[in-house]
Amino acid sequence: WLFLMLSRGAVALFWFNPLVWVLNRALIDASEEAADAAALRALEPRAYARTLVRLAADLQPPVAALGITGSNHQLKKRIARIMSG
């Protein structure tokens, strides 16, 4: 969480620098991968993937789901990674 917060601060300060945005996105992706890996140590991959899809489908409005599951494209990538790993 500390690095994510620092990254948000860097984006706020250096919003004009595209590299900051790229690095911020990479940090977010790495954090999601780490969270998925931790969840998969306790859950079966198919059940976890179904849960992510249900969360994205059930939360209204859809913007609310972005904080949990990411965009549709990101969700597809996460599920593909979960099911292949």
Side-chain angles (χ1 to χ4, degrees), residues 14-55:
F14 301 105
W15 58 269
F16 52 87
N17 187 336
L19 182 60
V20 172
W21 288 93
V22 170
L23 293 174
N24 180 60
R25 183 74 247 162
L27 180 61
I28 291 170
D29 290 345
S31 297
E32 286 177 356
E33 282 187 43
D36 288 343
L40 289 172
R41 284 194 288 274
L43 300 170
E44 190 265 327
R46 292 186 76 172
Y48 182 57
R50 276 193 304 268
T51 300
L52 289 176
V53 171
R54 282 188 195 130
L55 283 171

